Amino acid sequence: MDDTVRVLHVDDEPDVGDLVATFLEREDDAFAVETAEHPDAGMARLAKGGVDCVVSDFDMAGTDGIAFLERVRESYPDLPFILYTGKGSEAVASDAISAGVTDYLQKETGTSQYTVLANRIRNAVEQYRARRAAEETEEKLSQLAENTDAILYMVDGDWTELLFVNSAYEEVWGMSLEALREDPESFLERVHPDDRDVARASMERLAAGDPDSVEYRLRRGDGEVRWVRGESRPVLDDDGDVERIVGSVRDVTDEKEQYRRLETLISNLPGIAYRCLDERGWPMEFVRGECERLTGHTSSALETEVSWGEDVVHPEDREAVRESIETAVDAGRPFEVTYRIVTADDETRWVWERGRAVEDRATGETVLEGLITDVTERHVHEETLEALTAQLEALSRASRDLLSADSAEAVAEVAVGVADGVLGLEASAVHLHDPTRDVLAPVAWTDLVEDLVGEPPTFEPGSSIAWRTFEAGDVVAIDDVRGDEDTHNPETPIHSELQAPIGDRGIFLAGSPTPAAFDDHDVLLAELLAGTVATALDTVERTRELRDREAELERQNERLAAFASLVSHDLRNPLGVAQGRLELAREECDSEHLDAVEGAHDRMAALVDDVLTLAREGEGATNLETVDPASLARACWSNVDTGDATLEVGDVPALRADESRLQHVFENLVRNALEHGGPAVTVTVGPLDDAAGFYVADDGPGIAPEDRERVFEAGYSTLQGGTGLGLSIVRQVAEAHGWTVAATEGAKGGARFEFTGVDFVEE
């Protein structure tokens, strides 16, 4: 509602109406005055709404102000109406009052009368608005009271008169409002007999002037028992006496049941739930849960006799726990802290505590609420895991020594050293399988093994637990080997044993004079060590095989070098003599046989060149440099008589290669395309889409699937007169670079050669 006061002035003299409007608006900027010259016009304006006060003359043509007032009251019984007339009398005033006029004012001479009129209007409107606001508030409060589950009530100071109560009373108590109005203490009839003294004591405290909270049970007419909670306070008069009592009562049966369930749940939690009155976390006020199991103290003892901070928290952790809790509380955040406690039996356990500071609704004080959980097993597990992680890291570092050993004996020696120094397996040995004798022979062992049993035995098939484990292939921890039927020495000082097969190469053994000395962690570590030893032995064998292969390759290269020398010197010279003699023979005679001899000479020359190239390309590519395949392909194209053939080169990245050898690849593939595809063949060089490599393809007749592997064999050719060495040279050059070459079908049906494993140069 705004501050504007909208006034409707009804007077049948327009000049008077305008004059009154002018002076009223001068008196108060909040006034907005409208005029009407007849009551009918006034009623029409009122129908539009928004008028705060009506000012009306008495004597008007054909009617008067009293009649107008009566019409207004029929539709607007509370609207302020001031009769402002120059024709005043006691009779008019009496009639006006009888008709419900708000105020009566007689017109006078001079302008001071407008000040009086303005004041009368202002007072009437303020009272009208205040009354309407009060009515609206009362209506809202009434709606609120009737739409809440709580019982709202008001009684006098001595509980003899009921001043107010809402209908929720009937729902909760099951009694009528009329009965309560007749006797305000009749509600006690439904209070549980065992709780009536509690209810009466609360009434007495309120009557004495003290606020009070109370809980008690009701026994309703149907026999149902309900819990209610009352919150009430006295209202005092100016002399300090209790004038009335106001309050609310709620049905808290469901809340009590939820609390009971919650308390049961908390009591069964795997830990302790608590409430503390001290910000430091001690002493405890409310303790529920596994108190005795965790601490050896009952919950009541922790609430009364035993101080958690001074008697339960480990002495070495008390100060740190206090500081952690206080720091979190001061920062306004929850706290989490892990620490040790000492039980009633002097056992040390680890606990994890999480809580927060909250404000107690009843007292306004800061309290702590939290949960304490036993984490001893987890803490021990974490410590064990940390130790295991450290061992695994050490084993990982030691594996480099294992993998760098150059013999099986060296691997075994390193393995027992790692088992002793890293894994803590002081008595350990490595037995390797000797396939010649089919035994597990000891290769390396620690000093403690020799101290306990002397030199380890050799195990034969079926004669020991070790052989059984070797054949089964599973890691085992034996708590006491003396009781096993396969043991060869029941009197051995070794009780427990850890056995881990090293693949099919042998077995790793660790022993102890103590029964059941090995756990799951030892089994895991032994398995990892045995696996690493197996890998190291494989590496040793592969290294030996590589060395043997390198030696064989070196011998082959020596033979190839000798062969190349033979081809280069011992074959080319006689061939040159034969070609010279052929030229002299042509000068002396003309014979068709000479053309055949010349063709044979050309074929022999081609064979010599290809064989020499093949021999030299068998060596590894050592002169690696950055090569542009596109430029090299175009250069090779110009070196070959290509006739009407076409070259298409795609965007192949630069690569690392021996340029002179890669040139042989491109030239041989171009010649191969020309020989099989004809003089108009198209050769394409491009990158592979799905691998690191490139391809060379043509649109000739292609290669049959069954021949795609054979075309790389030396001497294989499908053309009469071909040497069959060109593609063999291509493969040798590829393998010398570490590449792989494969023949497949091109996009246009011709032959396509794909090179993969190529080392492209990153831009």
Side-chain angles (χ1 to χ4, degrees):
M1 183 179 297
D2 59 26
D3 295 332
T4 303
V5 177
R6 297 173 179 81
V7 179
L8 175 62
H9 182 210
V10 180
D11 196 308
D12 59 353
E13 295 186 22
D15 293 340
V16 174
D18 292 342
L19 184 63
V20 171
T22 299
F23 276 95
L24 286 178
E25 291 177 350
R26 285 184 180 181
E27 287 291 332
D28 195 328
D29 292 339
F31 285 171
V33 183
E34 298 182 49
T35 61
E37 297 179 6
H38 192 274
D40 291 342
M43 291 301 295
R45 174 61 187 86
L46 288 175
K48 296 179 180 179
V51 175
D52 298 307
C53 181
V54 177
V55 177
S56 176
D57 190 16
F58 174 73
D59 192 8
M60 292 179 286
T63 185
D64 58 37
I66 300 299
F68 178 43
L69 171 60
E70 291 174 345
R71 293 175 64 187
V72 170
R73 284 290 173 256
E74 290 177 0
S75 300
Y76 312 99
D78 299 322
L79 185 66
F81 192 104
I82 298 175
L83 192 62
Y84 180 52
T85 177
K87 192 175 189 178
S89 66
E90 291 183 3
V92 172
S94 177
D95 291 341
I97 292 172
S98 298
V101 76
T102 305
D103 206 347
Y104 176 87
L105 182 64
Q106 190 169 353
K107 295 179 182 178
E108 298 178 356
T109 59
T111 59
S112 60
Q113 61 177 323
Y114 301 118
T115 301
V116 176
L117 178 59
N119 289 335
R120 298 285 182 90
I121 294 172
R122 189 179 300 108
N123 292 336
V125 171
E126 288 177 354
Q127 292 176 14
Y128 171 65
R129 288 181 173 177
R131 187 166 58 252
R132 288 188 60 187
E135 291 173 353
E136 291 176 358
T137 301
E138 184 177 352
E139 176 65 21
K140 291 178 181 178
L141 289 175
S142 178
Q143 292 176 359
L144 177 63
E146 293 304 322
N147 286 281
T148 179
D149 294 333
I151 301 171
L152 305 178
Y153 75 91
M154 181 188 300
V155 297
D156 63 353
D158 57 2
W159 294 89
T160 59
E161 182 182 359
L162 178 64
L163 303 177
F164 174 80
V165 67
N166 61 343
S167 59
Y169 172 78
E170 293 182 333
E171 178 67 25
V172 177
W173 244 260
M175 296 179 65
S176 68
L177 294 177
E178 289 74 14
L180 187 63
R181 292 191 181 99
E182 292 177 3
D183 180 7
E185 293 189 7
S186 63
F187 73 92
L188 291 170
E189 297 175 8
R190 291 290 172 85
V191 176
H192 195 284
D194 295 340
D195 295 346
R196 282 177 188 163
D197 290 342
V198 175
R200 286 189 180 277
S202 175
M203 294 169 64
E204 292 172 0
R205 286 192 293 271
L206 290 165
D210 297 323
D212 190 59
S213 298
V214 65
E215 286 187 2
Y216 51 81
R217 290 166 293 174
L218 300 178
R219 178 173 286 169
R220 293 161 50 93
D222 56 6
E224 182 183 9
V225 176
R226 310 288 295 177
W227 277 91
V228 296
R229 179 184 300 131
E231 302 284 347
S232 306
R233 65 180 181 85
V235 178
L236 308 180
D237 59 17
D238 294 339
D239 297 328
D241 297 327
V242 178
E243 182 177 12
R244 57 186 179 275
I245 297 169
V246 297
S248 65
V249 180
R250 292 190 304 111
D251 185 336
V252 294
T253 305
D254 292 342
E255 182 180 325
K256 295 282 282 188
E257 177 62 20
Q258 289 177 1
Y259 179 81
R260 184 192 66 78
R261 292 176 180 174
L262 179 60
E263 187 171 17
T264 301
L265 176 63
I266 291 175
S267 298
N268 290 298
L269 283 174
I272 298 175
Y274 70 87
R275 188 173 188 267
C276 300
L277 298 179
D278 193 305
E279 286 192 6
R280 296 170 301 174
W282 309 287
M284 291 184 173
E285 178 194 44
F286 173 90
V287 186
R288 297 290 186 274
E290 298 180 321
C291 302
E292 290 191 67
R293 188 198 67 80
L294 180 55
T295 69
H297 302 290
T298 64
S299 59
S300 59
L302 290 171
E303 293 173 345
T304 57
E305 304 170 8
V306 179
S307 168
W308 185 270
E310 302 301 328
D311 301 324
V312 180
V313 178
H314 195 284
E316 296 178 6
D317 294 347
R318 287 172 189 165
E319 189 60 31
V321 173
R322 286 178 181 268
E323 290 180 359
S324 295
I325 294 177
E326 290 174 353
T327 300
V329 170
D330 292 342
R333 56 179 172 79
F335 61 84
E336 292 186 21
V337 59
T338 302
Y339 57 91
R340 293 167 293 176
I341 63 170
V342 180
T343 69
D345 298 328
D346 290 329
E347 179 187 2
T348 299
R349 302 190 68 81
W350 282 89
V351 298
W352 172 79
E353 180 177 352
R354 189 180 195 281
R356 61 174 183 169
V358 297
E359 182 179 331
D360 186 271
R361 290 185 296 177
T363 65
E365 297 179 354
T366 298
V367 298
L368 293 183
E369 295 178 344
L371 182 68
I372 299 171
T373 305
D374 185 356
V375 294
T376 304
E377 293 184 4
R378 187 185 74 185
H379 192 80
V380 172
H381 175 72
E382 289 176 351
E383 289 183 336
T384 304
L385 185 60
E386 289 179 2
L388 178 61
T389 301
Q391 288 179 309
L392 290 174
E393 291 176 352
L395 179 59
S396 177
R397 292 191 295 270
S399 65
R400 291 193 291 269
D401 295 332
L402 282 168
L403 296 174
S404 62
D406 58 0
S407 68
E409 292 75 12
V411 170
E413 289 290 348
V414 174
V416 296
V418 170
D420 183 8
V422 175
L423 307 185
L425 304 175
E426 298 176 349
S428 60
V430 171
H431 291 62
L432 296 182
H433 182 242
D434 183 348
T436 303
R437 297 185 295 157
D438 194 22
V439 296
L440 292 171
V443 179
W445 55 89
T446 60
D447 293 339
L448 184 56
V449 171
E450 194 155 347
D451 293 341
L452 291 173
V453 300
E455 181 177 336
T458 296
F459 301 117
E460 298 179 355
S463 66
S464 63
I465 307 173
W467 188 272
R468 186 177 67 198
T469 303
F470 172 67
E471 285 189 328
D474 297 322
V475 183
V476 295
I478 304 168
D479 292 341
D480 195 343
V481 296
R482 293 182 176 188
D484 193 283
E485 61 183 11
D486 288 338
T487 182
H488 68 284
N489 184 9
E491 304 300 325
T492 176
I494 301 296
H495 276 270
S496 54
E497 199 163 278
L498 181 62
Q499 302 180 349
I502 307 172
D504 60 355
R505 297 183 177 277
I507 190 169
F508 168 79
L509 302 175
S512 173
T514 304
F518 304 107
D519 56 19
D520 292 341
H521 293 160
D522 296 319
V523 170
L524 172 62
L525 293 170
E527 184 175 11
L528 292 174
L529 176 60
T532 306
V533 171
T535 301
L537 292 173
D538 289 342
T539 302
V540 168
E541 183 173 339
R542 286 197 299 272
T543 301
R544 184 177 64 251
E545 291 174 352
L546 287 174
R547 289 173 180 170
D548 293 344
R549 183 179 177 186
E550 288 176 357
E552 178 61 25
L553 287 174
E554 186 174 352
R555 289 191 294 271
Q556 289 180 2
N557 287 337
E558 290 176 355
R559 291 194 295 270
L560 285 173
F563 179 70
S565 176
L566 172 66
V567 171
S568 178
H569 297 88
D570 297 346
L571 292 182
R572 279 185 171 176
N573 286 339
L575 180 60
V577 171
Q579 288 174 333
R581 292 294 184 180
L582 175 62
E583 185 175 343
L584 293 174
R586 284 186 181 280
E587 293 178 356
E588 295 179 357
C589 65
D590 185 14
S591 172
E592 60 181 11
H593 298 295
L594 296 180
D595 292 336
V597 172
E598 183 178 7
H601 286 168
D602 290 342
R603 174 167 171 72
M604 291 173 63
L607 281 170
V608 169
D609 289 340
D610 285 349
V611 168
L612 185 59
T613 300
L614 183 64
R616 290 174 177 172
E617 296 303 338
E619 301 174 359
T622 57
N623 187 26
L624 298 179
E625 57 185 319
T626 300
V627 177
D628 179 8
S631 300
L632 183 61
R634 294 187 181 96
C636 294
W637 185 263
S638 62
N639 293 338
V640 178
D641 184 9
T642 56
D644 296 330
T646 303
L647 174 66
E648 296 178 357
V649 181
D651 187 13
V652 183
L655 51 83
R656 298 279 295 169
D658 185 319
E659 184 172 359
S660 63
R661 294 190 174 190
L662 185 57
Q663 181 176 344
H664 286 309
V665 169
F666 284 137
E667 290 178 351
N668 282 0
L669 290 177
V670 169
R671 291 191 183 97
N672 185 76
L674 291 169
E675 290 172 355
H676 293 83
V681 70
T682 297
V683 178
T684 305
V685 179
L688 296 177
D689 295 333
D690 56 353
F694 64 92
Y695 69 87
V696 179
D698 61 56
D699 58 357
I703 304 173
E706 62 272 14
D707 294 334
R708 288 173 185 170
E709 183 60 31
R710 295 184 59 199
V711 294
F712 294 106
E713 297 176 2
Y716 179 81
S717 177
T718 59
L719 294 177
Q720 185 176 1
T723 65
L725 297 177
L727 294 182
S728 180
I729 293 172
V730 169
R731 169 172 278 184
Q732 286 213 151
V733 172
E735 291 178 348
H737 285 81
W739 304 343
T740 299
V741 61
T744 182
E745 184 178 3
K748 299 179 180 180
R752 174 175 165 126
F753 298 90
E754 296 183 350
F755 297 82
T756 56
V758 177
D759 182 15
F760 285 121
V761 179
E762 296 183 1
E763 296 182 358

